[in-house]
């Protein structure tokens, strides 16, 4: 069984949003189409409290895109984004909302960021998604959304580690791209055994 995992297609990651991904909104159309062709549809939603430690604004002397050491390793600092209950945290208004069967929220603990849909950034704390997918006999994932070089990449890499067959929908992802991080992300995913396809090539 196959599932579509739609990563963080939220206003703050789209043009005009607080952590704008260039062309982020262009993923909506192909994703809407895919939602109709797969039996299991899951969305993730970045969902931070306003005092989240991944926000540069909560560190006094730091700027967005600086990095700091957290207990679990290096952390990029971001502009405030996807704050719980704000419009920026809502899904893009054109993204279909009926087909999705599960919404996984992540990044809701102040002290730890969470890029992957499976594990928080300590690579230990689980979100519960793996248990859900196992219970539904899902062994193949089709992954799309934002941002290629952060939440999409970590979701795909963790999925491979957990043993899923993974296909990344090339025309339905966009990246932030800090110092060629999109190219690096594609290389890492390829090495981990992720396959790449266009949305038109995907069927149930
Ligand atoms: C993301 C940075 C911070 C993402 C989320 O969805 O890729 N990136 N929070
Ligand atoms: Zn975030």
């Amino acid at each position: 069984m196959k599932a579509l995992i739609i990563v963080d297609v939220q206003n703050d990651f789209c043009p005009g949003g607080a952590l704008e991904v260039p062309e982020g909104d262009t993923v909506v159309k192909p994703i809407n189409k895919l939602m109709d062709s797969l039996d299991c549809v899951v969305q993730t939603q970045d969902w931070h409290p306003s005092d989240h430690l991944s926000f540069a604004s909560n560190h006094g002397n730091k700027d967005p895109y600086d990095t700091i050491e957290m207990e679990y390793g290096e952390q990029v600092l971001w502009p405030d984004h996807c704050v719980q209950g704000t419009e920026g945290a809502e899904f893009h208004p054109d993204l279909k909302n009926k087909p999705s069967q599960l919404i996984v929220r992540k990044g809701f603990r102040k002290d730890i960021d969470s890029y992957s849909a499976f594990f928080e950034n300590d690579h230990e704390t689980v979100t519960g998604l793996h248990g859900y997918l196992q219970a539904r006999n899902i062994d193949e994932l089709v992954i799309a959304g934002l941002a290629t070089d952060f939440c999409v990449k970590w979701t795909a890499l963790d999925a491979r580690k957990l043993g899923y067959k993974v296909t990344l929908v090339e025309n339905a992802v966009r990246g932030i791209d800090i110092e060629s991080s999109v190219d690096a992300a594609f290389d890492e995913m390829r090495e981990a055994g992720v396959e790449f396809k266009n949305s038109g090539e995907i069927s149930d």
Side-chain angles (χ1 to χ4, degrees), residues 23-179:
E23 301 181 348
D25 55 336
T26 61
V27 305
V28 171
K29 253 193 189 168
I31 290 175
N32 278 346
K33 275 199 181 153
L34 281 172
M35 278 174 143
D36 288 333
S37 51
L38 290 161
D39 284 334
C40 176
V41 179
V42 174
Q43 281 177 261
T44 68
Q45 187 172 28
D46 212 35
W47 193 250
H48 300 305
S50 59
D51 59 353
H52 198 258
L53 292 182
S54 78
F55 296 170
S57 65
N58 289 320
H59 293 271
N61 57 345
K62 296 285 179 190
D63 292 318
Y65 309 104
D66 285 350
T67 54
I68 56 161
E69 275 305 310
M70 301 278 269
E71 257 172 49
Y72 52 81
E74 191 180 87
Q75 170 72 47
V76 181
L77 296 176
W78 304 107
D80 293 23
H81 64 279
C82 297
V83 174
Q84 296 170 0
T86 64
E87 202 187 327
E90 294 305 313
F91 295 115
H92 187 287
D94 297 335
L95 186 74
K96 282 203 279 201
N97 59 24
K98 282 191 212 157
S100 77
Q101 298 159 356
L102 176 74
I103 295 171
V104 178
R105 286 178 168 166
K106 57 185 185 59
F108 50 76
R109 293 186 179 91
K110 147 183 195 284
D111 297 322
I112 181 165
D113 207 1
S114 187
Y115 294 151
S116 161
F118 293 99
F119 296 98
E120 303 201 7
N121 285 11
D122 60 0
H123 305 295
E124 268 173 32
T125 310
V126 299
T127 63
L129 178 59
H130 184 44
Y132 174 87
L133 295 172
Q134 281 182 310
R136 291 197 54 182
N137 285 324
I138 306 255
D139 53 4
E140 286 192 43
L141 304 181
V142 175
I143 299 179
L146 307 170
T148 315
D149 36 353
F150 289 92
C151 293
V152 168
K153 176 185 92 171
W154 284 109
T155 298
L157 294 180
D158 281 344
R160 288 295 300 140
K161 274 194 198 137
L162 292 167
Y164 295 92
K165 179 179 185 307
V166 177
T167 303
L168 188 92
V169 192
E170 273 181 305
N171 62 321
V173 294
R174 290 293 185 280
I176 298 171
D177 213 13
I178 303 172
E179 295 167 4

